[in-house]
């Protein structure tokens, strides 16, 4: 194992305290800090020390992929780290967004690369399923809820213009597509009036509070109303949500560890000043009702849990503090990234031992042995999901 240094992305919705506090830096930070990236994605690769200088993990992988990835990962994914580990810290809502599946990503990227002005929606040819585990209380929108519940919520505001949307939702799952299409296609000149009418309605309750919270930032965005079609999920620390391809979601507030396939493909439809493409989003969006977006943790060995997901790009483990001299042996395959999120953790793999403080990370190659973790802290381990 050797220490890994991840860049911090300064997106506007980021916190000025969460990542800085995790890493023991002064608070508040100079600007918003949204995501700590611990991987080899070309957008912001992490680095390691080599002869007194920081060297990109992306370059090291390219120079010797077999050493870093191992034959199994190399055969399945090619010469690239298939996962990206992040710390995400949201002080304000992120965009309403969806990610493509593998086939959609390949086709979309090829089409975008053929454009004269370059890629617009797809920045790479890979899918981007995501798993997020809360480090603090975490608030999110994730997956479509029962359309009947959404219809009742919209109808309760008593806004006549919303009647076609309510009618569509009464058709159940088959009407979800039409309801989303109507809202996202609302004439631009009428959007502020529609959102304003909903905000002004004399209605109380969680749905009304959500609309007013979002409308305070995006007063003319129909995504404020699309949000009412989704589950509002409040995670306690240690709870997780799974976002498969085609699932509409938005993070609202909180800090979490996020593990995903190594892609940056995002299709947005609202709650953002960034590029939106409702037509393309509707094409890849899945209109299935999600019964429960929360993923239950499963014990692996004493002190270690994981959250099973139906992809082989990645797997995530949380290792709790060990007592006294006890150690945890974790024989996960391929390259491994370890992030300490509390206290101190010692991690070795037969090729080297690193002691990590809170907010620090390490990486080990596929050629090293099983991970051995000890110490009173808490850590997350990211690895390929191959078995």
């Amino acid at each position: 194992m050797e220490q890994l240094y991840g860049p911090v992305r300064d997106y506007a919705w980021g916190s000025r305290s969460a990542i800085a506090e995790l890493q023991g830096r002064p608070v508040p930070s100079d600007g918003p800090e949204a995501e700590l990236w611990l991987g080899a994605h070309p957008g912001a690769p992490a680095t390691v020390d080599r002869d007194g200088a920081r060297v990109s993990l992306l370059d090291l992988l390219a120079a010797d992929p077999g050493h870093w990835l191992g034959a199994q990962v190399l055969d399945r994914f090619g010469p690239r780290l298939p996962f990206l580990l992040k710390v995400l810290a949201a002080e304000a809502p992120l965009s309403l967004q969806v990610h493509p599946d593998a086939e959609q990503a390949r086709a979309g990227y090829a089409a975008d690369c053929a454009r004269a002005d370059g890629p617009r929606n797809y920045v790479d040819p890979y899918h981007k399923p995501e798993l997020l585990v809360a480090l603090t209380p975490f608030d999110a929108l994730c997956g479509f809820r029962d359309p009947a519940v959404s219809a009742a919520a919209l109808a309760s505001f008593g806004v006549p213009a919303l009647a076609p949307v309510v009618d569509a939702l009464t058709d159940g799952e088959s009407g979800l597509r039409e309801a989303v299409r109507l809202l996202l296609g609302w004439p631009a000149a009428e959007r502020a009036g529609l959102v304003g009418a909903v905000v002004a309605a004399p209605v109380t309750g969680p749905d009304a509070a959500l609309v007013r919270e979002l409308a305070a930032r995006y007063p003319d965005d129909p995504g404020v109303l699309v949000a009412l079609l989704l589950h509002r999920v409040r995670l306690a620390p240690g709870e997780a949500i799974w976002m498969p391809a085609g699932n509409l979601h938005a993070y609202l507030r909180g800090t979490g560890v996020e593990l995903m396939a190594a892609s940056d493909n995002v299709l947005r439809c609202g709650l953002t000043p960034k590029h939106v493409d409702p037509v393309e989003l509707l094409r890849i969006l899945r209109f299935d009702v999600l019964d429960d977006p929360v993923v239950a943790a499963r014990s692996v060995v004493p002190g270690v849990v994981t959250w099973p997901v139906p992809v082989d790009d990645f797997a995530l483990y949380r290792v709790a503090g060990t007592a006294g001299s006890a150690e945890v042996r974790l024989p996960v395959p391929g390259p491994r990234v370890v992030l300490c999120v509390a206290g101190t953790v010692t991690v070795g793999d037969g090729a080297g031992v690193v002691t990590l403080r809170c907010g620090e990370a390490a990486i080990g190659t596929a050629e090293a042995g099983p991970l051995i973790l000890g110490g009173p802290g808490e850590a997350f381990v990211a690895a390929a999901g191959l078995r």
Side-chain angles (χ1 to χ4, degrees):
M1 299 297 294
E2 59 183 311
Q3 195 150 354
L4 185 68
Y5 305 92
V8 175
R9 311 307 298 269
D10 59 352
Y11 308 136
W13 47 263
S15 169
R16 295 186 64 184
S17 61
I19 295 177
E21 286 180 346
L22 183 72
Q23 296 185 323
R25 294 186 281 108
V27 173
S29 56
D30 292 337
E33 296 182 336
E35 295 178 346
L36 171 66
W37 284 30
L38 296 166
H41 191 279
T47 59
V48 297
D49 286 325
R50 286 291 182 275
D51 299 322
R54 297 279 176 87
V55 178
S56 166
L57 181 59
L58 184 64
D59 294 339
L60 292 174
L61 283 171
D64 194 354
H67 169 69
W68 284 94
L69 302 175
Q72 190 179 15
V73 171
L74 190 59
D75 289 346
R76 171 65 179 85
F77 299 103
R80 55 187 292 269
L81 188 66
F83 59 83
L84 173 60
L85 182 66
K86 297 181 180 179
V87 176
L88 183 145
E91 187 68 29
L94 281 67
S95 58
L96 273 172
Q97 59 187 262
V98 67
H99 308 302
D101 63 25
E103 182 178 350
Q104 291 164 342
R106 285 192 297 268
Y109 182 66
D112 262 11
C113 287
R115 292 171 51 88
D117 56 352
R120 179 177 58 180
N121 291 316
Y122 299 89
V123 298
D124 57 59
Y126 306 111
H127 69 163
K128 192 188 176 188
E130 300 175 345
L131 175 73
L132 182 135
V133 181
L135 290 178
T136 68
F138 199 94
D139 200 3
L141 302 170
C142 185
F144 289 113
R145 61 181 178 176
D146 184 341
V149 174
S150 299
L154 289 172
S156 72
F157 292 100
V159 177
L162 286 174
V165 181
V166 174
D167 289 344
L169 291 170
T170 58
D171 290 334
E173 285 192 37
S174 63
L176 270 173
R177 178 183 291 274
E178 178 64 7
V180 176
R181 187 194 68 79
L182 285 169
L183 289 171
L184 295 183
W186 212 270
E190 300 175 14
R191 291 177 176 180
L194 177 67
V195 175
V198 174
V199 169
V203 178
T204 58
D207 289 321
L210 174 62
V211 165
R212 290 170 184 138
E213 176 187 348
L214 297 177
R217 293 181 178 273
Y218 302 102
D220 59 352
D221 190 334
V224 169
L225 303 181
V226 175
L228 292 179
L229 310 184
L230 306 178
H231 289 282
R232 181 80 175 264
V233 182
R234 291 181 171 89
L235 300 175
E239 292 184 323
I241 49 175
W242 162 243
M243 284 136 300
N247 174 60
L248 190 61
H249 63 278
Y251 299 140
L252 302 179
R253 185 176 295 103
T255 303
V257 170
E258 190 177 30
L259 184 58
M260 63 192 65
S263 170
D264 206 21
N265 282 324
V266 181
L267 278 296
R268 302 177 180 88
C269 68
L271 308 184
T272 179
K274 296 181 179 180
H275 170 72
V276 298
D277 190 336
V279 173
E280 180 64 10
L281 180 136
L282 285 170
R283 190 182 71 81
I284 71 168
L285 183 58
R286 295 180 181 173
F287 292 92
D288 304 322
V289 171
L290 186 62
D291 292 331
D292 186 1
V294 177
V295 181
R298 187 181 71 192
S299 178
V300 179
V301 296
V304 180
V305 298
T306 189
W307 295 265
V309 294
V311 296
D312 59 5
D313 305 71
F314 59 81
L316 185 65
Y317 306 86
R318 186 186 66 201
V319 181
T322 57
S325 60
E327 293 180 327
V328 171
R329 185 177 186 272
L330 198 58
V332 292
R336 289 73 56 96
V337 174
V338 181
L339 168 68
C340 179
V341 296
T344 60
V345 172
T346 299
V347 55
D349 60 1
V353 178
V354 177
T355 297
L356 300 176
R357 296 174 298 178
C358 186
E360 294 181 338
I363 187 168
T365 72
E367 293 185 348
L371 289 181
I372 307 295
L373 297 102
E378 180 180 341
F380 283 85
V381 178
L386 299 172
R387 294 292 179 270

